[in-house]
Amino acid sequence: MQRQTDSLTYAHFAALGHLLTPAQLPRWQQLAPTLPRRLQQPGPGPGPDEQRSGQRGWPRRPAA
């Protein structure tokens, strides 16, 4: 199961690299090898928007 997960993660990051502009590519090549390790580390926890709303994900847009 871990091998399949690793394979899918690699394929995802490889596909993402093809979407970048030439200007973005050097930064991606520097960052991509560290992403799997970074994604396994626990994050800092919910931010202020998430604490207020009780929801995770992108902050809500302000009402118009």
Side-chain angles (χ1 to χ4, degrees):
M1 183 64 83
Q2 185 63 44
R3 185 177 291 161
Q4 183 179 10
T5 300
D6 292 346
S7 179
L8 289 171
T9 301
Y10 176 82
H12 171 76
F13 288 142
L16 184 58
H18 292 290
L19 298 175
L20 303 176
T21 66
Q24 294 168 325
L25 198 53
R27 177 69 175 130
W28 173 250
Q29 291 170 336
Q30 179 185 20
L31 184 64
T34 66
L35 288 176
R37 184 175 61 246
R38 292 171 117 191
L39 293 174
Q40 290 177 350
Q41 295 174 352
D49 290 335
E50 295 172 86
Q51 290 173 352
R52 276 197 303 267
S53 69
Q55 298 176 349
R56 293 190 158 240
W58 295 100
R60 289 184 174 180
R61 288 186 173 159

Coordinates of all heavy atoms in Angstrom, one line a residue:
M1 N 0.8 -1.2 0.0 CA 0.0 0.0 0.0 C 0.9 1.3 0.0 O 0.6 2.2 -0.7 CB -0.9 0.0 1.2 CG -1.9 1.1 1.3 SD -3.1 1.2 0.0 CE -4.3 0.1 0.6
Q2 N 2.0 1.2 0.8 CA 2.9 2.4 0.8 C 3.5 2.7 -0.5 O 3.7 3.8 -0.9 CB 3.9 2.2 1.9 CG 4.8 3.5 2.1 CD 4.0 4.7 2.6 OE1 3.1 4.6 3.4 NE2 4.2 5.8 1.9
R3 N 3.9 1.6 -1.2 CA 4.6 1.7 -2.5 C 3.6 2.4 -3.5 O 4.0 3.2 -4.3 CB 5.0 0.4 -3.0 CG 5.8 0.5 -4.3 CD 6.3 -0.8 -4.8 NE 7.3 -1.3 -3.8 CZ 7.8 -2.5 -3.7 NH1 7.3 -3.4 -4.5 NH2 8.7 -2.8 -2.9
Q4 N 2.3 2.0 -3.4 CA 1.3 2.6 -4.3 C 1.1 4.0 -4.0 O 1.0 4.9 -4.9 CB 0.0 1.8 -4.2 CG -1.0 2.3 -5.2 CD -2.3 1.5 -5.1 OE1 -2.5 0.7 -4.1 NE2 -3.2 1.7 -6.0
T5 N 1.0 4.4 -2.7 CA 0.9 5.8 -2.3 C 2.1 6.6 -2.8 O 1.9 7.7 -3.3 CB 0.7 5.9 -0.8 OG1 -0.4 5.1 -0.4 CG2 0.6 7.3 -0.3
D6 N 3.3 6.1 -2.6 CA 4.5 6.8 -3.0 C 4.5 7.0 -4.6 O 4.8 8.1 -5.0 CB 5.7 6.1 -2.6 CG 5.9 6.1 -1.1 OD1 5.3 6.9 -0.4 OD2 6.8 5.3 -0.6
S7 N 4.0 6.0 -5.3 CA 4.0 6.1 -6.7 C 3.0 7.2 -7.2 O 3.3 8.0 -8.1 CB 3.6 4.7 -7.3 OG 3.6 4.8 -8.7
L8 N 1.8 7.2 -6.6 CA 0.8 8.2 -6.9 C 1.3 9.6 -6.6 O 1.1 10.5 -7.3 CB -0.5 7.9 -6.2 CG -1.2 6.7 -6.8 CD1 -2.4 6.3 -5.8 CD2 -1.7 6.9 -8.2
T9 N 2.0 9.7 -5.4 CA 2.5 11.0 -5.0 C 3.5 11.5 -6.0 O 3.5 12.7 -6.4 CB 3.1 10.9 -3.6 OG1 2.1 10.5 -2.7 CG2 3.6 12.3 -3.2
Y10 N 4.4 10.6 -6.4 CA 5.4 11.0 -7.4 C 4.8 11.4 -8.7 O 5.2 12.5 -9.3 CB 6.4 9.8 -7.6 CG 7.4 10.1 -8.7 CD1 8.5 10.9 -8.4 CD2 7.2 9.7 -10.0 CE1 9.5 11.2 -9.4 CE2 8.1 10.0 -11.0 CZ 9.3 10.7 -10.7 OH 10.2 11.0 -11.7
A11 N 3.8 10.7 -9.2 CA 3.1 11.0 -10.4 C 2.4 12.3 -10.3 O 2.4 13.1 -11.3 CB 2.1 9.9 -10.8
H12 N 1.8 12.6 -9.2 CA 1.1 13.9 -9.0 C 2.1 15.1 -9.1 O 1.9 16.0 -9.8 CB 0.4 13.9 -7.6 CG -0.1 15.2 -7.2 ND1 -1.3 15.7 -7.8 CD2 0.3 16.1 -6.3 CE1 -1.5 16.9 -7.2 NE2 -0.6 17.2 -6.4
F13 N 3.2 14.9 -8.4 CA 4.2 16.0 -8.4 C 4.8 16.2 -9.8 O 5.1 17.3 -10.2 CB 5.3 15.8 -7.3 CG 4.8 16.0 -5.9 CD1 5.2 15.2 -4.9 CD2 3.9 17.0 -5.6 CE1 4.8 15.4 -3.6 CE2 3.5 17.3 -4.3 CZ 3.9 16.4 -3.3
A14 N 5.1 15.1 -10.5 CA 5.6 15.2 -11.8 C 4.6 15.9 -12.8 O 5.0 16.7 -13.6 CB 5.9 13.8 -12.4
A15 N 3.3 15.6 -12.6 CA 2.3 16.2 -13.5 C 2.2 17.7 -13.1 O 2.1 18.5 -14.0 CB 1.0 15.5 -13.3
L16 N 2.3 18.0 -11.9 CA 2.3 19.4 -11.5 C 3.4 20.2 -12.1 O 3.3 21.4 -12.5 CB 2.3 19.5 -9.9 CG 2.1 20.9 -9.3 CD1 0.8 21.5 -9.8 CD2 2.2 20.8 -7.8
G17 N 4.6 19.6 -12.1 CA 5.8 20.3 -12.7 C 5.6 20.7 -14.1 O 6.1 21.6 -14.6
H18 N 4.7 19.9 -14.9 CA 4.5 20.2 -16.3 C 3.6 21.4 -16.5 O 3.5 21.9 -17.6 CB 3.9 19.0 -17.0 CG 4.9 17.9 -17.1 ND1 6.0 17.9 -17.9 CD2 4.9 16.7 -16.5 CE1 6.7 16.8 -17.8 NE2 6.0 16.0 -16.9
L19 N 2.9 21.9 -15.4 CA 2.0 23.0 -15.5 C 2.7 24.3 -15.3 O 2.1 25.4 -15.5 CB 0.9 22.8 -14.5 CG 0.0 21.6 -14.6 CD1 -1.0 21.5 -13.5 CD2 -0.7 21.6 -16.0
L20 N 3.9 24.3 -14.8 CA 4.6 25.5 -14.4 C 5.2 26.3 -15.6 O 5.5 25.7 -16.6 CB 5.7 25.2 -13.4 CG 5.2 24.5 -12.2 CD1 6.4 24.1 -11.3 CD2 4.2 25.3 -11.4
T21 N 5.3 27.6 -15.4 CA 6.0 28.4 -16.4 C 7.5 28.2 -16.3 O 8.0 27.7 -15.3 CB 5.7 29.9 -16.2 OG1 6.3 30.3 -15.0 CG2 4.2 30.2 -16.2
P22 N 8.2 28.6 -17.4 CA 9.7 28.5 -17.3 C 10.3 29.2 -16.1 O 11.3 28.8 -15.5 CB 10.2 29.0 -18.6 CG 9.1 28.7 -19.5 CD 7.8 28.9 -18.7
A23 N 9.7 30.3 -15.7 CA 10.2 31.1 -14.6 C 9.9 30.4 -13.3 O 10.7 30.6 -12.3 CB 9.5 32.5 -14.6
Q24 N 8.9 29.6 -13.2 CA 8.6 28.9 -11.9 C 9.3 27.6 -11.8 O 9.5 27.1 -10.6 CB 7.1 28.6 -11.9 CG 6.2 29.8 -11.8 CD 4.7 29.5 -12.1 OE1 4.4 28.6 -12.8 NE2 3.8 30.2 -11.4
L25 N 9.8 27.1 -12.9 CA 10.4 25.7 -12.8 C 11.6 25.6 -11.9 O 11.7 24.6 -11.2 CB 10.8 25.3 -14.3 CG 11.0 23.8 -14.5 CD1 9.9 23.0 -14.0 CD2 11.3 23.6 -16.0
P26 N 12.6 26.6 -11.9 CA 13.7 26.4 -11.0 C 13.3 26.3 -9.5 O 13.9 25.5 -8.8 CB 14.6 27.7 -11.2 CG 14.2 28.1 -12.6 CD 12.8 27.7 -12.8
R27 N 12.4 27.1 -9.1 CA 11.9 27.0 -7.7 C 11.2 25.7 -7.4 O 11.4 25.1 -6.4 CB 11.0 28.2 -7.4 CG 10.4 28.1 -6.0 CD 11.5 28.4 -5.0 NE 10.8 28.5 -3.7 CZ 11.2 27.8 -2.6 NH1 12.3 27.1 -2.7 NH2 10.6 27.9 -1.5
W28 N 10.5 25.2 -8.4 CA 9.8 23.9 -8.2 C 10.8 22.8 -8.1 O 10.7 21.9 -7.3 CB 8.9 23.6 -9.4 CG 8.3 22.2 -9.4 CD1 8.6 21.2 -10.3 CD2 7.3 21.7 -8.5 NE1 7.9 20.1 -10.0 CE2 7.1 20.4 -8.9 CE3 6.6 22.3 -7.4 CZ2 6.2 19.6 -8.2 CZ3 5.8 21.4 -6.7 CH2 5.5 20.1 -7.1
Q29 N 11.9 22.8 -8.9 CA 12.9 21.8 -8.9 C 13.6 21.8 -7.6 O 14.1 20.8 -7.1 CB 13.9 22.0 -10.1 CG 13.2 21.6 -11.4 CD 14.1 22.0 -12.6 OE1 14.9 22.9 -12.5 NE2 13.8 21.4 -13.7
Q30 N 13.7 22.9 -6.9 CA 14.3 23.1 -5.6 C 13.4 22.6 -4.5 O 13.8 21.9 -3.6 CB 14.7 24.5 -5.4 CG 15.3 24.8 -4.0 CD 15.5 26.3 -3.8 OE1 14.9 27.1 -4.5 NE2 16.4 26.6 -2.9
L31 N 12.1 22.9 -4.7 CA 11.1 22.5 -3.6 C 10.6 21.1 -3.7 O 10.3 20.5 -2.7 CB 10.0 23.5 -3.8 CG 8.8 23.5 -2.7 CD1 9.4 23.8 -1.4 CD2 7.7 24.4 -3.1
A32 N 10.4 20.6 -4.9 CA 9.7 19.3 -5.1 C 10.3 18.1 -4.3 O 9.6 17.4 -3.7 CB 9.6 19.0 -6.6
P33 N 11.6 18.0 -4.2 CA 12.2 16.9 -3.5 C 11.9 16.9 -2.0 O 11.9 15.9 -1.3 CB 13.7 17.0 -3.7 CG 13.9 17.8 -4.9 CD 12.7 18.7 -4.9
T34 N 11.5 18.1 -1.4 CA 11.3 18.2 0.0 C 9.8 18.0 0.3 O 9.4 17.9 1.5 CB 11.7 19.5 0.6 OG1 11.0 20.6 0.0 CG2 13.2 19.8 0.3
L35 N 8.9 18.1 -0.7 CA 7.5 18.1 -0.4 C 7.0 16.8 0.3 O 6.2 16.9 1.3 CB 6.7 18.4 -1.7 CG 6.8 19.8 -2.2 CD1 6.1 19.9 -3.5 CD2 6.2 20.8 -1.1
P36 N 7.3 15.6 -0.1 CA 6.8 14.4 0.6 C 7.1 14.4 2.1 O 6.3 14.1 2.9 CB 7.4 13.3 -0.2 CG 7.7 13.8 -1.5 CD 8.1 15.2 -1.3
R37 N 8.3 14.8 2.4 CA 8.7 14.9 3.8 C 7.9 16.0 4.5 O 7.5 15.8 5.7 CB 10.2 15.1 3.9 CG 10.7 15.1 5.3 CD 12.3 15.2 5.4 NE 12.7 16.4 4.8 CZ 13.5 16.5 3.7 NH1 13.9 15.4 3.1 NH2 13.9 17.7 3.3
R38 N 7.8 17.1 3.9 CA 7.1 18.2 4.5 C 5.6 17.9 4.7 O 5.0 18.3 5.7 CB 7.2 19.5 3.7 CG 8.6 20.0 3.6 CD 8.7 21.1 2.6 NE 9.0 22.4 3.3 CZ 8.9 23.5 2.7 NH1 8.6 23.7 1.5 NH2 9.3 24.6 3.3
L39 N 5.0 17.2 3.8 CA 3.6 16.8 3.9 C 3.3 15.8 5.1 O 2.2 15.7 5.6 CB 3.1 16.3 2.6 CG 3.0 17.3 1.5 CD1 2.6 16.6 0.2 CD2 2.0 18.4 1.8
Q40 N 4.3 15.0 5.4 CA 4.2 14.1 6.5 C 4.3 14.7 7.9 O 3.9 14.1 8.9 CB 5.2 13.0 6.4 CG 5.0 12.1 5.2 CD 6.1 11.0 5.1 OE1 7.1 11.1 5.7 NE2 5.9 10.1 4.2
Q41 N 4.8 15.9 8.0 CA 5.0 16.6 9.3 C 3.7 17.3 9.7 O 3.0 17.8 8.8 CB 6.1 17.6 9.2 CG 7.5 17.1 8.9 CD 8.5 18.1 8.7 OE1 8.2 19.3 8.5 NE2 9.8 17.7 8.6
P42 N 3.4 17.2 10.9 CA 2.2 17.9 11.4 C 2.3 19.4 11.2 O 3.4 20.0 11.4 CB 2.0 17.5 12.8 CG 3.4 17.1 13.2 CD 4.1 16.6 12.0
G43 N 1.2 20.0 10.9 CA 1.2 21.5 10.7 C 1.1 22.2 12.0 O 0.9 21.6 13.1
P44 N 1.0 23.5 11.9 CA 0.9 24.4 13.1 C -0.5 24.4 13.7 O -0.6 24.9 14.8 CB 1.3 25.7 12.6 CG 1.0 25.8 11.2 CD 1.2 24.3 10.7
G45 N -1.4 23.8 13.1 CA -2.8 23.8 13.6 C -3.6 24.8 12.8 O -3.2 25.5 12.0
P46 N -4.9 24.9 13.2 CA -5.8 25.9 12.5 C -5.4 27.3 12.7 O -5.0 27.7 13.8 CB -7.2 25.5 13.1 CG -6.9 24.9 14.4 CD -5.6 24.2 14.3
G47 N -5.6 28.1 11.7 CA -5.3 29.5 11.8 C -6.6 30.2 12.4 O -7.6 29.6 12.7
P48 N -6.5 31.5 12.5 CA -7.6 32.3 13.1 C -8.9 32.1 12.4 O -10.0 32.0 13.0 CB -7.2 33.8 13.0 CG -5.7 33.7 12.8 CD -5.4 32.4 12.2
D49 N -8.9 32.1 11.0 CA -10.1 31.9 10.3 C -10.7 30.5 10.5 O -12.0 30.4 10.6 CB -9.9 32.1 8.8 CG -9.6 33.5 8.4 OD1 -10.0 34.4 9.2 OD2 -8.9 33.7 7.4
E50 N -9.9 29.5 10.6 CA -10.4 28.2 10.9 C -10.9 28.0 12.3 O -11.9 27.3 12.5 CB -9.3 27.1 10.6 CG -8.8 27.1 9.2 CD -7.6 26.3 9.0 OE1 -7.8 25.0 8.8 OE2 -6.5 26.8 9.0
Q51 N -10.3 28.7 13.2 CA -10.8 28.6 14.6 C -12.2 29.2 14.8 O -13.0 28.7 15.5 CB -9.8 29.3 15.6 CG -8.5 28.5 15.7 CD -7.5 29.3 16.5 OE1 -7.7 30.4 16.8 NE2 -6.3 28.6 16.8
R52 N -12.4 30.3 14.1 CA -13.7 31.0 14.2 C -14.8 30.2 13.5 O -15.9 30.1 14.1 CB -13.6 32.4 13.5 CG -13.1 33.5 14.4 CD -13.4 34.8 13.8 NE -12.9 35.0 12.5 CZ -11.7 35.5 12.2 NH1 -10.9 35.9 13.1 NH2 -11.3 35.7 10.9
S53 N -14.5 29.7 12.3 CA -15.6 29.1 11.6 C -15.7 27.6 11.9 O -16.8 27.0 11.7 CB -15.3 29.2 10.1 OG -14.2 28.4 9.7
G54 N -14.7 27.0 12.5 CA -14.8 25.6 12.8 C -14.5 24.7 11.6 O -14.7 23.5 11.7
Q55 N -14.2 25.3 10.5 CA -14.0 24.6 9.2 C -12.5 24.7 8.8 O -11.8 25.6 9.1 CB -14.8 25.2 8.1 CG -16.3 25.1 8.4 CD -17.1 25.8 7.3 OE1 -16.6 26.5 6.5 NE2 -18.4 25.6 7.3
R56 N -12.1 23.6 8.1 CA -10.7 23.6 7.6 C -10.8 24.0 6.1 O -11.9 23.8 5.5 CB -10.1 22.3 7.8 CG -9.9 22.0 9.2 CD -9.0 20.8 9.4 NE -8.4 20.9 10.7 CZ -7.1 20.9 10.9 NH1 -6.3 20.8 10.0 NH2 -6.7 21.0 12.2
G57 N -9.7 24.4 5.6 CA -9.7 24.7 4.1 C -9.4 26.2 3.9 O -9.0 26.9 4.8
W58 N -9.8 26.6 2.7 CA -9.6 28.0 2.4 C -10.5 28.9 3.2 O -11.6 28.6 3.4 CB -9.8 28.3 0.9 CG -8.9 27.5 0.0 CD1 -9.1 26.3 -0.6 CD2 -7.5 27.8 -0.3 NE1 -8.0 25.9 -1.3 CE2 -7.0 26.8 -1.1 CE3 -6.7 28.9 0.0 CZ2 -5.7 26.9 -1.6 CZ3 -5.5 28.9 -0.4 CH2 -5.0 27.9 -1.2
P59 N -10.0 30.1 3.6 CA -10.8 31.1 4.3 C -12.0 31.5 3.4 O -11.8 31.6 2.2 CB -9.9 32.2 4.6 CG -8.5 31.7 4.4 CD -8.6 30.6 3.4
R60 N -13.1 31.8 4.0 CA -14.2 32.3 3.3 C -14.0 33.7 2.7 O -13.2 34.5 3.3 CB -15.4 32.4 4.2 CG -16.0 31.0 4.6 CD -17.2 31.2 5.4 NE -17.8 30.0 5.7 CZ -18.9 29.8 6.3 NH1 -19.5 30.9 6.8 NH2 -19.4 28.7 6.5
R61 N -14.6 33.9 1.6 CA -14.5 35.3 1.0 C -15.4 36.2 1.9 O -16.5 35.8 2.3 CB -15.0 35.3 -0.4 CG -14.0 34.6 -1.3 CD -14.5 34.8 -2.7 NE -13.4 34.4 -3.7 CZ -13.7 34.0 -4.9 NH1 -14.9 34.1 -5.4 NH2 -12.7 33.6 -5.7
P62 N -15.0 37.5 2.0 CA -15.9 38.4 2.7 C -17.2 38.6 1.9 O -17.2 38.5 0.7 CB -15.1 39.7 2.8 CG -13.8 39.4 2.3 CD -13.8 38.0 1.6
A63 N -18.3 38.8 2.6 CA -19.6 39.1 2.0 C -19.5 40.4 1.2 O -18.8 41.4 1.6 CB -20.7 39.2 3.0
A64 N -20.1 40.4 0.1 CA -20.1 41.6 -0.8 C -21.0 42.7 -0.3 O -21.9 42.5 0.4 CB -20.5 41.2 -2.2

